[in-house]
């Protein structure tokens, strides 16, 4: 990660993460002078995006991996984990930091003096649906570090993190244009619903719906009082899965009218494509005094 690189520059070493013996063999062959960080599995059941099905060593494998690294004469210097993105409970970090403490102790039993702890990422940049803020996570992390890594026993501990989501989740507001519209009337009840097509969708800035479990809240740019209708909102491509919202409340919008979505940062424009030939949504930068 970028955090790893910053730390590596400061220490004038190369840091590499591993979670299995095949990675250790590869590192021993290609870059035996690297300093290694063991990625462990932690409880990510509190998060919308769970990573531990793909990354991380099981706790029962830690001692074996430490012994194998020692046999290969590799330097293990720390531990990393990731509780997952969209975390809904601060205790996930307490559980993970407690597990990291166990790994530090196992490393010590195998002759390693670990001094680096990578807390991973997924920190909220806006208040979450459960009402949690970054401050709530920071408070729990500081408490857990004091509990499991007290200053008197871990004076040389270096703590880093990967706060990408925190910095960019509220980086911009996405403004979209209504390019098509359909009105539907229920013949039995007379209820009116609208289908709107916008000029950006899940293959563009709204890929967060597929990959980040996002539920964007669409608002009319020209706000008004009055009646709203149940609506389905589509993206512009020909793909039937290009749906921004299956159900939302909007007024009767005109073709050409603008709507917007706030806090449209993490996992949006960074992963946009030009599927079906639609151009990427341009960015306009506004400086406020």
């Amino acid at each position: 990660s970028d955090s790893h690189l910053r730390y590596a520059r400061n220490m004038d070493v190369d840091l590499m993460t591993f979670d299995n013996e095949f990675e250790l063999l590869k590192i021993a062959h290609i870059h035996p002078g690297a300093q290694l960080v063991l990625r462990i599995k932690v409880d990510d059941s509190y998060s919308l995006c769970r990573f531990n099905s793909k990354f991380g060593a099981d706790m029962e494998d830690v001692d074996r991996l430490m012994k194998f690294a020692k046999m290969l004469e590799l330097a293990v210097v720390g531990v990393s984990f990731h509780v997952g993105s969209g975390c809904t409970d601060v205790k996930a970090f307490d559980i993970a930091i407690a597990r990291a403490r166990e790994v530090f102790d196992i490393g010590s039993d195998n002759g390693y003096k670990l001094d680096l702890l990578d807390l991973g990422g997924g920190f909220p940049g806006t208040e979450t649906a459960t009402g949690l803020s970054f401050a709530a996570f920071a408070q729990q992390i500081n408490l857990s570090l004091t509990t499991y890594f007290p200053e008197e026993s871990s004076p040389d501990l270096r703590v880093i993190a990967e706060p990408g989501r925190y910095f960019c989740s509220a980086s911009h507001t996405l403004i979209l244009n209504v390019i098509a519209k359909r009105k539907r009337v229920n013949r039995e009840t007379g209820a009116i619903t609208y289908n709107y097509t916008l000029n950006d969708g899940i293959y563009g800035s709204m890929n967060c719906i597929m990959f980040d479990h996002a539920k964007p809240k669409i608002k009319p740019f020209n706000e008004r009082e009055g009646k709203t209708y149940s609506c389905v909102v589509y993206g512009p491509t020909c793909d039937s899965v290009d749906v921004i919202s299956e159900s939302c409340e909007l007024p009767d919008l005109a073709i050409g009218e603008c709507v917007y979505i706030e806090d449209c940062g993490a996992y949006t424009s960074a992963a946009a494509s030009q599927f079906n030939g639609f151009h990427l949504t341009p960015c306009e930068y506004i400086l406020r005094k």
Side-chain angles (χ1 to χ4, degrees):
S1 71
D2 188 48
S3 298
H4 287 166
L5 292 174
R6 284 197 297 273
Y7 181 80
R9 291 190 193 104
N10 291 337
M11 298 296 293
D12 196 28
V13 296
D14 292 324
L15 284 170
M16 304 183 75
T17 304
F18 74 98
D19 62 8
N20 63 76
E21 65 274 21
F22 297 107
E23 287 298 290
L24 287 173
L25 287 169
K26 189 166 63 178
I27 293 168
H29 176 65
I30 297 173
H31 197 355
Q35 295 196 352
L36 306 186
V37 178
L38 174 57
R39 169 81 175 255
I40 59 170
K41 285 185 179 179
V42 295
D43 185 359
D44 60 0
S45 62
Y46 303 98
S47 300
L48 294 175
C49 300
R50 303 173 66 175
F51 298 144
N52 290 312
S53 60
K54 183 175 182 179
F55 301 109
D58 292 313
M59 288 300 293
E60 54 264 33
D61 293 329
V62 170
D63 184 67
R64 177 177 59 82
L65 290 173
M66 290 286 188
K67 286 180 168 55
F68 193 51
K70 180 65 73 171
M71 184 188 72
L72 294 172
E73 299 183 341
L74 297 173
V76 181
V77 300
V79 177
S80 71
F81 61 78
H82 200 304
V83 300
S85 289
C87 186
T88 60
D89 198 321
V90 296
K91 70 181 180 183
F93 276 96
D94 184 66
I95 296 169
I97 293 171
R99 189 167 291 186
R101 172 74 265 178
E102 294 181 45
V103 178
F104 269 62
D105 293 338
I106 295 171
S108 179
D109 292 341
N110 285 278
Y112 287 114
K113 179 176 172 53
L114 308 186
D115 63 3
L116 175 65
L117 177 60
D118 181 356
L119 303 173
F123 303 102
T126 57
E127 191 170 283
T128 67
T130 56
L132 294 173
S133 65
F134 176 77
F137 284 93
Q139 183 178 24
Q140 179 60 66
I141 289 168
N142 285 328
L143 177 61
S144 299
L145 289 173
T146 301
T147 301
Y148 302 112
F149 293 91
E151 179 70 23
E152 58 271 18
S153 63
S154 306
D156 299 323
L157 181 68
R158 300 288 300 271
V159 181
I160 62 174
E162 303 161 32
R165 178 187 291 274
Y166 168 73
F167 285 119
C168 73
S169 62
S171 63
H172 64 275
T173 296
L174 180 66
I175 300 176
L176 308 104
N177 193 258
V178 178
I179 61 174
K181 171 181 179 180
R182 178 188 292 126
K183 180 179 180 180
R184 295 183 183 274
V185 180
N186 187 302
R187 293 180 180 177
E188 296 181 359
T189 65
I192 296 173
T193 59
Y194 285 100
N195 294 352
Y196 294 113
T197 300
L198 306 180
N199 63 334
D200 201 347
I202 66 165
Y203 289 97
S205 300
M206 290 289 94
N207 62 84
C208 55
I209 296 171
M210 297 290 287
F211 301 121
D212 202 38
H213 307 282
K215 297 183 183 299
K217 186 175 181 180
I218 305 165
K219 299 179 181 181
F221 195 79
N222 298 311
E223 296 188 15
R224 72 209 76 178
E225 296 181 358
K227 186 173 178 58
T228 61
Y229 302 87
S230 178
C231 302
V232 180
V233 182
Y234 300 107
T237 71
C238 66
D239 197 330
S240 61
V241 304
D242 192 0
V243 181
I244 299 173
S245 178
E246 294 277 5
S247 177
C248 65
E249 290 288 321
L250 288 168
D252 182 0
L253 301 172
I255 293 177
E257 190 168 345
C258 290
V259 295
Y260 68 98
I261 300 171
E262 295 177 307
D263 299 335
C264 211
Y267 301 100
T268 55
S269 57
S273 73
Q274 298 188 61
F275 176 70
N276 263 183
F278 289 91
H279 295 297
L280 300 178
T281 299
C283 293
E284 299 289 343
Y285 300 93
I286 302 172
L287 298 179
R288 293 187 177 93
K289 293 184 179 180

